[in-house]
Amino acid sequence: FMLASSLLVVGAGISKMTNAIADLQRVHLEATDTRRKLSQVLRASGADADLSSRILRFGMHLFQRKASLSVEDSVIGLLSKALTSELTLCQRNKYFVDHPFFANVKLRFPEVYANLCTAFESHIFADSDVLFRSGTVSECLYITIRGSYTLSTPVDAWGLMQTRLLQEGRSTTTKWKVDVDFREAEVASSFSGLRWLCEISLFATTFHKSDLRTTSFADAFTLTGAALAACVGKSPRCVAS
């Protein structure tokens, strides 16, 4: 009996290992096929070497990200809407809860907060992608969660003076790396990881005063004012307050 049980355990382990190897081989074949198709499209389009390299790098990065999420999607498909919402809350809570507005919503209206976590849209950006430009309408809140970014802002004389103080180490008002091109009168603030940008767009129509550009592959969430209003509108208690 013990021998039979041991054989069953060993057999189960071998089966799992075989399935894992098969999955790895499948992903490798799909990645190879994706790269081949991308290369064919790039050759047909006459793209130069630099553009082809950037597209291939981002294409394979996106493929790997989607491959890592495919198992998660297949599992989520088995869950009810309520359980999916709870799972999304667990996954995304760490990105939103430290913001004063969302922390207050979570404290007072947890059902609205759960809906908001689901309402955020996720995005994957390539190197040098522009998320928004100065002078354009600010349409949503941005929450950067991975990657590196540069926020370029035109400055006036006061801004230049403040920047000089930063460079001389006489001001600690920012933790961002700041560089200034005095000929262009522009402050470039470099940062990475978690940041909240353009919160005002959730409540009013305004215009961007800066350019935000990625300097690496990056991930971010966005939330529009309309999506916020829709989540709040589902809670009579929140609307009444």
Side-chain angles (χ1 to χ4, degrees):
F1 177 76
M2 291 182 62
L3 178 61
S5 299
S6 299
L7 289 174
L8 286 174
V9 172
V10 172
I14 293 174
S15 177
K16 290 181 180 179
M17 185 178 298
T18 301
N19 291 336
I21 292 173
D23 287 340
L24 288 173
Q25 290 176 334
R26 175 182 57 79
V27 172
H28 176 71
L29 289 174
E30 290 177 357
T32 302
D33 186 55
T34 299
R35 188 178 186 89
R36 178 182 59 79
K37 290 178 179 177
L38 272 175
S39 298
Q40 289 176 343
V41 170
L42 292 169
R43 282 196 298 270
S45 66
D48 60 36
D50 177 65
L51 178 60
S52 297
S53 175
R54 288 191 287 117
I55 290 176
L56 281 172
R57 284 177 56 238
F58 180 68
M60 298 315 298
H61 170 75
L62 191 60
F63 174 84
Q64 292 170 357
R65 287 295 310 279
K66 288 187 174 181
S68 67
L69 294 175
S70 61
V71 176
E72 178 183 331
D73 290 339
S74 65
V75 171
I76 288 178
L78 302 174
L79 305 179
S80 67
K81 185 176 180 179
L83 289 175
T84 300
S85 178
E86 289 187 41
L87 180 58
T88 302
L89 174 62
C90 290
Q91 292 174 322
R92 297 183 172 184
N93 178 62
K94 60 185 176 182
Y95 301 122
F96 313 142
V97 72
D98 288 335
H99 190 284
F101 172 73
F102 294 111
N104 187 47
V105 172
K106 181 180 181 181
L107 179 64
R108 300 182 60 194
F109 311 104
E111 72 283 0
V112 174
Y113 181 76
N115 289 333
L116 282 172
C117 286
T118 303
F120 273 92
E121 294 185 12
S122 61
H123 305 272
I124 301 176
F125 297 101
D127 185 8
S128 299
D129 275 357
V130 177
L131 281 67
F132 55 76
R133 291 188 183 278
S134 176
T136 60
V137 177
S138 181
E139 298 178 328
C140 57
L141 160 70
Y142 289 86
I143 300 182
T144 63
I145 57 175
R146 295 186 189 88
S148 301
Y149 304 81
T150 295
L151 189 71
S152 302
T153 310
V155 294
D156 55 14
W158 180 89
L160 290 174
M161 180 183 68
Q162 294 301 309
T163 303
R164 288 193 183 99
L165 292 176
L166 282 173
Q167 290 183 320
E168 293 170 5
R170 289 190 282 159
S171 174
T172 58
T173 58
T174 179
K175 295 181 180 178
W176 296 1
K177 178 184 176 183
V178 177
D179 297 308
V180 181
D181 187 336
F182 292 99
R183 294 167 300 176
E184 300 294 334
E186 185 176 83
V187 172
S189 306
S190 301
F191 66 94
S192 60
L194 186 63
R195 291 288 189 278
W196 301 281
L197 302 162
C198 313
E199 295 99 318
I200 188 64
S201 63
L202 295 176
F203 311 103
T205 300
T206 186
F207 293 87
H208 291 294
K209 294 180 174 60
S210 308
D211 297 346
L212 181 64
R213 184 187 301 271
T214 60
T215 55
S216 70
F217 294 152
D219 296 1
F221 287 115
T222 59
L223 180 71
T224 64
L228 172 64
C231 292
V232 171
K234 295 177 182 178
S235 171
R237 187 168 64 91
C238 185
V239 173
S241 65

